Amino acid sequence: EAGVAQSPRYKIIEKRQSVAFWCNPISGHATLYWYQQILGQGPKLLIQFQNNGVVDDSQLPKDRFSAERLKGVDSTLKIQPAKLEDSAVYLCASRRVDGARQYFGPGTRLTVL
Amino acid sequence: GDSVTQMEGPVTLSEEAFLTINCTYTATGYPSLFWYVQYPGEGLQLLLKATKADDKGSNKGFEATYRKETTSFHLEKGSVQVSDSAVYFCALRNSGGSNYKLTFGKGTLLTVNP
């Protein structure tokens, strides 16, 4: 089966600009996660969706980050405006609603200058 | 809250050397424990897991045993290869709730030289 797809793979922007990342989960996976992985640290959960509803967004900096999953399939994560400290790899993961294992995409590496 | 502490890297070994990467955790309840691997330019892949005390997870020659008494889940491999060069993450998933949230350690970079 196809894995989790993410695009773009790399993005370089200047601070105060906006950026958006896209994720397409494995077909049939109702649960979708966005993680932020800062260099030298482990991934940190930003937001979790079940279908098109938010399950957990307690770690999402809502003043600048937003995410949506309008049709319960693919998802977009947006940063507006970006700060230097947002430089990181943004990982998307998905899992079946009746399964526990998360499957990760290759990530989007964001550099904010 | 839940947390995972991993051995600081980087770790550099020669091919066929023995590998240990230490991992300890703090969690309420009875978490499941995982090791993930991230090869250069790729996403996280599940390497092995253990869901209860004294379980041993194993895959590709790697092993880790869930030790509740020492709250540890150390990763070991008897003979590493150059292809094992990657970043290794220890993680836990708490049994509470239904969101299956993963908490990761900071990762340990392993470099294996020929």
Side-chain angles (χ1 to χ4, degrees), chain A residues 38-75:
Chain A
I38 293 173
L39 186 65
Q41 298 183 23
K44 181 186 81 170
L45 179 68
L46 291 175
I47 189 167
Q48 178 188 349
F49 291 94
Q50 176 103 342
N51 296 308
N52 59 354
V54 175
V55 174
D56 182 355
D57 64 356
S58 57
Q59 303 259 59
L60 188 74
K62 298 180 187 65
D63 57 335
R64 297 183 301 105
F65 286 65
S66 64
E68 59 184 17
R69 195 184 182 200
L70 293 176
K71 296 182 179 178
V73 180
D74 55 349
S75 175

Side-chain angles (χ1 to χ4, degrees), chain A residues 72-87:
Chain A
V73 180
D74 55 349
S75 175
T76 302
L77 176 70
K78 296 180 182 176
I79 307 175
Q80 181 180 1
K83 292 185 175 181
L84 296 177
E85 59 260 35
D86 298 332
S87 294

